[in-house]
Amino acid sequence: MTYKKGDRVALVHTTDPHTELKPDDEGTVHRFDANLSMLSVNWDSGSTLSMLLDDGDEVRPA
């Protein structure tokens, strides 16, 4: 899947054990690097955790 700046996404799962993000938390795409499968998200909660889509992190359209 391709993402563009401004797309809204919701968290399905993250492998980061230290984040306070929960499934269904929403955010706005800041940047998508298709080569690294890295999705930078500005989460509504204030978090800026990036999603590593090839390493187990998963989002869906919000």
Side-chain angles (χ1 to χ4, degrees):
M1 181 165 196
T2 298
Y3 300 92
K4 63 183 183 301
K5 187 173 183 171
D7 284 351
R8 296 284 296 166
V9 295
L11 180 65
V12 174
H13 173 77
T14 182
T15 58
D16 187 324
H18 305 290
T19 186
E20 293 184 17
L21 290 171
K22 304 279 188 260
D24 296 321
D25 282 354
E26 295 186 3
T28 303
V29 172
H30 174 70
R31 181 172 176 265
F32 178 59
D33 185 327
N35 292 327
L36 298 175
S37 293
M38 184 173 74
L39 183 65
S40 298
V41 179
N42 293 329
W43 297 98
D44 294 349
S45 66
S47 175
T48 56
L49 182 69
S50 294
M51 299 285 100
L52 303 176
L53 302 177
D54 282 348
D55 291 336
D57 292 337
E58 185 179 352
V59 297
R60 63 172 172 76

